[in-house]
């Protein structure tokens, strides 16, 4: 049976505050828990005024204290931004606070310009090249096979995941024998090839006996197709702003937003929105089921920020009621 989860960027909306963003994060996580979702993940981004998940482990502690059973995790931690030892301490702390509930999803892409590299005191391109070794080192810190033992961290058992949007992450996940999550909600190009490679080359491990796949979708569910499309326009505006080098806080929805865009922007949105469920509960359910049939994914994780946080909760509830 397919499991469903939530991916949250902890969006900061135009005219809103960071405090409101964190309050909305806990409300969404609790709603996901009540709706039967398996996981609530936060994605790490830095120096973006519209995204408040930069201190990912801190946000997860906040959400963990507000929930009871849903798994909490990173979707993901961009390991080149950190040292393996620091992440072992952070997620070792989370594992001690919320035993049996913590996921540690890891990604390679630093996604940073020269200013952020200087701020982080890192050569992020070289750090990205060291990513496979750093993942192994992080695991060694937790299982006690490294030369130094983090406290917290030693003996921690978060569920490791590899995140990716290319063949590299799929290959590494297969070699390490851990679950693999594909970022198809914004980078669908290599989805089918990556999943095929991961499953073909998977090597069983103590962490995972057989291939286990999660794929991401955008979800905007409402009583009418037109209403759902309008809800989705806040994210569409964010995609357009990011692609034009002008990221900002999450903007209010705009009716018929696609139709107002030039053809290249419409094509861009159509391309990156291939893995999307936008419409009525039945339409969203059909889209999700078709995507599951295509990918044979064990889990689907839903992205999809809305300007009104309550609208995202309503969207999730409507979709989950139809999917259950």
């Amino acid at each position: 049976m397919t499991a469903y989860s939530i991916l949250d960027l902890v969006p900061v909306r135009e005219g809103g505050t960071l405090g409101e963003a964190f309050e909305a994060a806990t409300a969404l996580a609790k709603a996901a828990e009540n709706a039967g979702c398996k996981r609530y993940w936060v994605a790490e981004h830095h120096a973006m005024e519209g995204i408040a998940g930069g201190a990912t482990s801190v946000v997860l502690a906040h959400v963990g204290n507000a929930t009871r059973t849903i798994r909490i995790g990173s979707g993901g931690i961009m390991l080149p931004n950190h040292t393996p030892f620091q992440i072992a301490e952070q997620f070792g702390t989370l594992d001690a606070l919320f035993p049996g509930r913590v996921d540690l999803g890891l990604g390679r892409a630093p996604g940073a310009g020269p200013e952020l590299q200087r701020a982080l005191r890192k050569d992020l391109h070289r750090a990205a090249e060291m990513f496979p070794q750093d993942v192994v080192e992080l695991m060694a810190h937790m299982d006690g096979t490294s030369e130094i033992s983090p406290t917290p961290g030693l003996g921690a058992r978060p569920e490791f995941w590899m995140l990716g949007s290319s063949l590299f992450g799929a290959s590494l996940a297969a070699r390490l024998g851990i679950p693999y999550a594909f970022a198809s909600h914004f980078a669908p190009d290599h989805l089918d090839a990556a999943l095929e490679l991961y499953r073909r080359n998977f090597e069983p491990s103590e962490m995972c006996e057989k291939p286990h796949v999660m794929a991401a979708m955008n979800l905007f569910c409402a009583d009418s197709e037109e209403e759902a499309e309008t809800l989705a326009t806040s994210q569409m505006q964010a995609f357009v702003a990011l692609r034009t080098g002008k990221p900002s806080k999450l903007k209010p929805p705009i009716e018929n937003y696609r139709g107002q865009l030039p053809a290249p922007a419409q094509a861009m949105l159509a391309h990156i929105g291939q893995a999307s469920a936008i419409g009525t509960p039945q339409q969203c359910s059909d889209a999700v089921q078709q995507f599951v049939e295509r990918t044979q994914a064990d889990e689907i994780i839903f992205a999809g920020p809305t300007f009104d946080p309550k609208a995202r909760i309503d969207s999730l509830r409507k979709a989950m009621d139809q999917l259950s």
Side-chain angles (χ1 to χ4, degrees), residues 16 20 38 52 62 65 68 89 92 133 177 278 287-288 317:
E20 291 170 349
K38 186 173 184 179
H62 174 63
N65 277 319
R68 297 175 293 105
E89 288 182 323
Q133 296 94 318
I278 303 175
V288 171
R317 286 173 175 162

Side-chain angles (χ1 to χ4, degrees), residues 12 38 138 143 149 157 180 183 191 207 275 295 311 324:
V12 184
K38 186 173 184 179
L138 171 55
D143 68 21
S149 299
R157 298 185 63 86
Y180 179 56
L191 171 63
M207 291 178 283
T295 61
S324 61

Side-chain angles (χ1 to χ4, degrees), residues 90-169:
Q90 292 174 22
F91 278 78
T93 300
L94 288 170
D95 184 70
L97 290 169
F98 312 107
R101 291 179 57 195
V102 177
D103 300 330
L104 178 45
L106 299 168
R108 178 180 63 141
E115 298 85 0
L116 183 56
Q117 291 198 57
R118 287 193 292 269
L120 293 174
R121 306 291 195 273
K122 298 274 282 186
D123 180 345
L124 294 179
H125 294 292
R126 183 177 180 185
E129 293 176 355
M130 295 296 296
F131 178 68
Q133 296 94 318
D134 283 351
V135 173
V136 172
E137 181 179 329
L138 171 55
M139 292 177 172
H141 285 319
M142 290 186 168
D143 68 21
T145 57
S146 69
E147 62 182 7
I148 184 171
S149 299
T151 302
L154 178 63
R157 298 185 63 86
E159 188 171 289
F160 279 90
W161 284 74
M162 185 61 57
L163 278 62
S165 58
S166 68
L167 302 185
F168 179 89

Side-chain angles (χ1 to χ4, degrees), residues 238-256:
F239 280 147
V240 170
L242 185 61
R243 293 300 175 95
T244 55
K246 300 176 181 177
S248 64
K249 292 185 177 181
L250 193 67
K251 295 184 179 297
I254 299 174
E255 292 186 5
N256 190 34

